[in-house]
Amino acid sequence: MKLNIDGLLVYFPYDYIYPEQFSYMLELKRTLDAKGHGVLEMPSGTGKTVSLLSLIVAYQRARPLDVTKLIYCSRTVPEIEKVIEELRKLMDFYEKELGEKVPFLGLALSSRKNLCIHPEVSSLRFGKEVDSRCLSLTASYVRAQHQRDGSLPACRFFEDFDTHGREVPIPYGIYNLDDLKAHGRQKGWCPYFLARYSILHANIVVYSYHYLLDPKIADLVSKELARKSVVVFDEAHNIDNVCIDSMGVNITRRTLDRCQANVATLQATIQKGGSRQHPDSRAFCGVPEAVRRLPAGAGAGAAGGAGEPPRFPQGPLREGLHRAQAPAVLCRAAALTAADAGDRGRGRLLCHHPRRQLRHPRQHLRQGCMDASIAIKPVFERFQSVIITSGTLSPLDIYPKILDFRPVTMATFTMTLARTCLCPMIVGRGNDQVAISSKFETREDIAVIRNYGNLLLELSAVVPDGIVAFFTSYQYMENIVASWYEQGILENIQRNKLIFIETQDGAETSMALEKYQEACENGRGAILLSVARGKVSEGIDFVHHYGRAVIMFGVPYVYTQSRILKARLEYLRDQFQIRENDFLTFDAMRHAAQCVGRALRGKTDYGLMVFADKRFARADKRGKLPRWIQEHITDANLNLTVDEAVQVAKFFLRQMAQPFHQEDQLGLSLLTLEQLQSEEVLQRIEQIAQQV
């Protein structure tokens, strides 16, 4: 399909288009025309990725001097791979329409763990192990030693790339991670360093947020990218937390001990006169003078005055996880502590006790960043257009405040539907009329726990295939499930469906997901118990029968006793006049919306969205849900009992079980090119975007 988007010829690789996709591309083009930044909230499952790619690629081709590159940032490897596959479809469509090979390069970049082809290094389980082993084979001093003594280990893939790969550009095409590894094996070149080198020549680069937001990584990977690039942060509802995490440093007792030993080795080597030959002297000599002269006796948590160098706790503050990282960590910690002293309290040095449910609790220092704008400010200043987009960004106007930028466009889009395929409901009472809520005062009430169990039990009997249930924390989930077991509720639920549980162990969770999907496939049906802010709530799609219902047990407020959170809330209050309760509610509701949004991944999909907490019915909570969810919460579904919720679910599922074909959507929620060009449809499309 070829579209006219405000005078721009856009190739769209499908025969049909959603009205909101056309509206989204219009807003996107206005943002690029203005050479400014945008905040766009697009309903889940409505083709946001292909809309972004289609419009921006068309803009690149039509105005190559205005937009030279698209930098597409996503959160997880599966999401990165999905973007690359959509890009591949788009470029196949271009070549089919043009009848020739398009000189275009698009590639994904990920960590060494995901791109390494060295037989020994790639077999290591953890990313940090892969990074450390790779550095031990490719560092400049290691290579120099290898040149003097060929018996010492080196990476032949890196050596061959360094000798030949830089001279031969990677052929035009679209490369996902497997494609890069296949090309690397064919050439004998390291795919990781090949990808890093090739992003300078690529038209589109798809990689993680951290390649732009983490100062250490961005300085290595992204510093040479051109200003006339468009940056897209997809699934950006949580971008402020990513910014803050990227600027923070955790300092444990073990870290300090290892660092002290490493620096002692450096000192001894320097005193022997071998500083220029010793490998670690390079790292030490790169530390700024202000950091080298840090006073050893400063009290814990103390910060100097605006004109003094920053002070750290007793003893030398050194990063020992890898010696070469020491300067970056020290510099970042020093910069943030200096900010704390002289610049609006943007950084804090906090003594932090992890929560008791952690398996290995220990005290540690957290050099925390309170201001999310510090990490992303260089991105806004450096690139002419930055797009913040997600399915759950409401309320939109908070993002320009906490990220400190001025967007030229802010819009949220409704979802056009031929049938109402989502059914959000708020369950506020049990059948015994006891109010249900996860709030601290009642969360251990046996009646509340029983009613939550009855809700899951009753829904498991009427909802086909898969149900995903989210809790507010791992500890809360463990307590609830243990109580259900004692009450016999768990046994009754298992008669209807198998139960799988997300844990904090990534391998265990991956296995649980796999078995959950198997149970949905073979007709047995399954329930996946998960946690808001966990792996399952971010980037995993429960399409069709994998997620016919999503239940949010409680309002997922962040742990409010955290000293780090308290410091951030204080900063937001003082600098942006954002009240603590407003921010906490905003944060909880964006995560709740992200969780329930897993149920609907397209217009042919359908699902129940169950908000199981009486507080969701309040205007301050409901008003912070995305517009496309709010529009479908009827007054009748605001404060249901468990039985009433089951009846609503039965009625909805019977409706959804009726035959529904693509033709039923045409002209309403799905448009042909001919329908798109009609005056009536164009007028309807104008109503889809709501400017903020």
Side-chain angles (χ1 to χ4, degrees):
M1 184 184 291
K2 297 179 184 178
L3 306 172
N4 182 343
I5 305 290
D6 191 25
L8 177 68
L9 175 62
V10 175
Y11 283 70
F12 189 77
Y14 295 97
D15 295 330
Y16 304 95
I17 187 171
Y18 294 146
E20 50 269 48
Q21 287 179 307
F22 191 88
S23 180
Y24 185 87
M25 286 191 276
L26 279 171
E27 292 298 325
L28 189 56
K29 181 177 182 293
R30 289 168 188 159
T31 310
L32 300 187
D33 286 344
K35 292 182 170 57
H37 312 310
V39 181
L40 303 175
E41 182 181 58
M42 178 79 150
S44 295
T46 52
K48 165 166 48 68
T49 300
V50 72
S51 303
L52 281 161
L53 293 173
S54 297
L55 190 284
I56 297 174
V57 169
Y59 209 98
Q60 277 181 293
R61 290 176 58 82
R63 304 178 186 178
L65 298 180
D66 292 335
V67 173
T68 58
K69 192 185 299 288
L70 167 60
I71 306 165
Y72 198 114
C73 301
S74 202
R75 295 173 61 86
T76 65
V77 170
E79 288 172 345
I80 289 170
E81 296 279 55
K82 282 190 289 186
V83 174
I84 288 292
E85 291 315 304
E86 287 286 6
L87 180 59
R88 197 189 306 277
K89 287 179 188 174
L90 177 60
M91 298 318 299
D92 287 346
F93 181 67
Y94 265 99
E95 291 178 4
K96 177 184 173 184
E97 291 294 312
L98 299 174
E100 61 183 9
K101 182 77 173 175
V102 178
F104 193 93
L105 177 59
L107 55 83
L109 174 62
S110 187
S111 64
R112 290 173 172 86
K113 171 67 178 166
N114 296 317
L115 282 172
C116 180
I117 58 173
H118 190 287
E120 295 176 11
V121 180
S122 61
S123 64
L124 296 172
R125 181 178 178 186
F126 299 107
K128 286 184 178 179
E129 293 177 328
V130 174
D131 290 346
S132 180
R133 182 67 177 135
C134 176
L135 288 168
S136 73
L137 295 174
T138 60
S140 57
Y141 69 88
V142 174
R143 298 177 66 204
Q145 291 172 347
H146 176 73
Q147 287 178 354
R148 292 193 298 268
D149 182 356
S151 65
L152 295 175
C155 178
R156 64 180 178 86
F157 299 102
F158 178 78
E159 296 299 332
D160 286 354
F161 162 73
D162 196 47
T163 304
H164 306 291
R166 299 179 193 275
E167 300 172 1
V168 183
I170 190 170
Y172 288 124
I174 309 301
Y175 296 83
N176 63 20
L177 301 180
D178 287 337
D179 297 330
L180 286 168
K181 287 197 283 189
H183 185 74
R185 289 191 182 98
Q186 177 190 349
K187 295 287 189 178
W189 300 339
C190 171
Y192 173 73
F193 285 99
L194 173 64
R196 271 182 52 174
Y197 177 71
S198 299
I199 65 173
L200 297 175
H201 316 295
N203 302 93
I204 293 185
V205 180
V206 186
Y207 58 28
S208 164
Y209 283 32
H210 297 286
Y211 288 90
L212 275 183
L213 297 179
D214 189 309
K216 300 192 309 294
I217 305 173
D219 192 51
L220 289 172
V221 176
S222 305
K223 65 179 178 181
E224 296 182 21
L225 297 178
R227 168 172 172 73
K228 292 185 176 179
S229 300
V230 174
V231 176
V232 171
F233 288 108
D234 197 3
E235 300 299 332
H237 48 276
N238 211 22
I239 191 170
D240 55 306
N241 290 335
V242 178
C243 291
I244 283 173
D245 289 344
S246 71
M247 296 297 293
V249 181
N250 281 328
I251 307 160
T252 66
R253 178 75 256 173
R254 181 169 176 265
T255 299
L256 292 176
D257 291 342
R258 293 180 66 182
C259 289
Q260 190 159 0
N262 287 338
V263 175
T265 302
L266 285 178
Q267 187 175 12
T269 304
I270 292 171
Q271 287 174 348
K272 290 178 182 178
S275 60
R276 297 206 175 272
Q277 286 74 40
H278 193 278
D280 290 328
S281 65
R282 300 166 186 257
F284 188 71
C285 293
V287 180
E289 186 66 24
V291 178
R292 289 192 232 173
R293 292 186 290 101
L294 287 176
E308 300 176 8
R311 299 189 176 194
F312 292 96
Q314 179 68 34
L317 176 63
R318 307 159 192 134
E319 171 59 66
L321 298 179
H322 191 281
R323 296 174 187 176
Q325 292 177 343
V329 175
L330 284 167
C331 293
R332 185 164 51 168
L336 283 171
T337 306
D340 183 27
D343 192 2
R344 304 188 302 168
R346 300 165 99 186
R348 300 286 175 87
L349 186 62
L350 299 169
C351 185
H352 180 57
H353 297 266
R355 298 180 65 184
R356 291 180 181 176
Q357 69 266 29
L358 295 180
R359 294 177 182 174
H360 303 290
R362 62 181 182 273
Q363 186 180 25
H364 67 261
L365 292 174
R366 169 72 178 175
Q367 175 61 59
C369 174
M370 303 298 109
D371 188 350
S373 72
I374 294 176
I376 202 170
K377 184 179 181 181
V379 180
F380 285 129
E381 291 179 344
R382 180 174 160 200
F383 300 107
Q384 65 183 23
S385 286
V386 178
I387 310 298
I388 307 290
T389 189
S390 178
T392 51
L393 286 176
S394 295
L396 270 65
D397 57 359
I398 198 168
Y399 287 90
K401 288 183 181 178
I402 60 180
L403 298 179
D404 194 20
F405 75 107
R406 292 185 179 181
V408 294
T409 55
M410 281 201 297
T412 180
F413 302 84
T414 189
M415 184 185 284
T416 57
L417 296 171
R419 63 170 183 172
T420 307
C421 60
L422 69 158
C423 179
M425 65 175 88
I426 297 169
V427 183
R429 297 168 292 147
N431 295 331
D432 55 5
Q433 298 303 314
V434 172
I436 57 176
S437 174
S438 67
K439 66 180 181 179
F440 185 77
E441 296 81 3
T442 62
R443 63 170 46 193
E444 295 182 5
D445 188 320
I446 199 69
V448 172
I449 295 173
R450 183 182 64 248
N451 283 325
Y452 271 154
N454 288 336
L455 174 62
L456 184 58
L457 174 61
E458 296 293 331
L459 286 176
S460 70
V462 300
V463 175
D465 303 315
I467 298 175
V468 185
F470 289 97
F471 295 83
T472 57
S473 69
Y474 286 102
Q475 183 181 30
Y476 187 50
M477 177 172 68
E478 290 169 8
N479 293 344
I480 291 280
V481 171
S483 185
W484 286 349
Y485 176 78
E486 293 171 359
Q487 296 176 41
I489 294 174
L490 212 58
E491 183 180 352
N492 291 332
I493 293 173
Q494 286 181 304
R495 293 193 181 111
N496 297 329
K497 296 183 187 297
L498 298 177
I499 296 177
F500 301 92
I501 300 179
E502 175 189 4
T503 70
Q504 296 182 68
D505 184 286
E508 288 178 0
T509 297
S510 296
M511 179 64 72
L513 272 168
E514 183 182 329
K515 297 302 178 185
Y516 169 82
Q517 291 174 340
E518 281 183 21
C520 293
E521 289 285 358
N522 64 28
R524 176 66 174 86
I527 296 170
L528 182 61
L529 304 182
S530 311
V531 173
R533 297 181 175 84
K535 177 183 177 181
V536 171
S537 69
E538 295 283 348
I540 296 178
D541 295 341
F542 294 94
V543 295
H544 300 293
H545 59 290
Y546 292 140
R548 286 305 181 204
V550 175
I551 308 170
M552 183 69 246
F553 285 117
V555 181
Y557 283 109
V558 70
Y559 177 60
T560 55
Q561 297 307 306
S562 162
R563 294 184 65 187
I564 296 171
L565 176 65
K566 286 181 176 179
R568 187 183 180 196
L569 292 173
E570 179 185 334
Y571 176 80
L572 291 172
R573 184 191 65 224
D574 294 344
Q575 298 303 323
F576 302 116
Q577 290 72 55
I578 298 175
R579 295 186 302 177
E580 293 181 4
N581 284 341
D582 288 345
F583 181 80
L584 290 171
T585 300
F586 151 75
D587 183 66
M589 295 309 294
R590 64 175 167 178
H591 282 97
Q594 188 66 18
C595 290
V596 299
R598 302 293 98 195
L600 194 70
R601 310 313 300 167
K603 295 188 181 184
T604 57
D605 198 0
Y606 63 87
L608 293 158
M609 300 178 176
V610 183
F611 297 92
D613 192 307
K614 67 175 185 178
R615 293 174 292 175
F616 282 116
R618 297 177 187 169
D620 69 313
K621 307 288 189 298
R622 204 162 20 110
K624 289 182 171 62
L625 286 170
R627 178 186 173 201
W628 60 274
I629 295 179
Q630 280 192 61
E631 289 176 338
H632 296 282
I633 303 179
T634 63
D635 291 341
N637 288 356
L638 277 184
N639 190 26
L640 303 176
T641 64
V642 170
D643 276 350
E644 289 168 345
V646 171
Q647 294 307 313
V648 171
K650 284 181 177 178
F651 179 75
F652 172 75
L653 292 168
R654 276 198 299 269
Q655 285 184 311
M656 293 300 101
Q658 303 307 310
F660 183 74
H661 306 288
Q662 188 180 64
E663 295 76 26
D664 300 327
Q665 300 183 72
L666 289 176
L668 297 170
S669 62
L670 194 65
L671 305 174
T672 64
L673 182 59
E674 184 179 359
Q675 290 167 336
L676 182 61
Q677 293 169 340
S678 74
E679 193 65 32
E680 178 189 349
V681 169
L682 290 174
Q683 288 178 355
R684 276 198 288 124
I685 286 175
E686 289 181 4
Q687 308 302 314
I688 291 173
Q690 177 181 317
Q691 307 292 334
V692 177

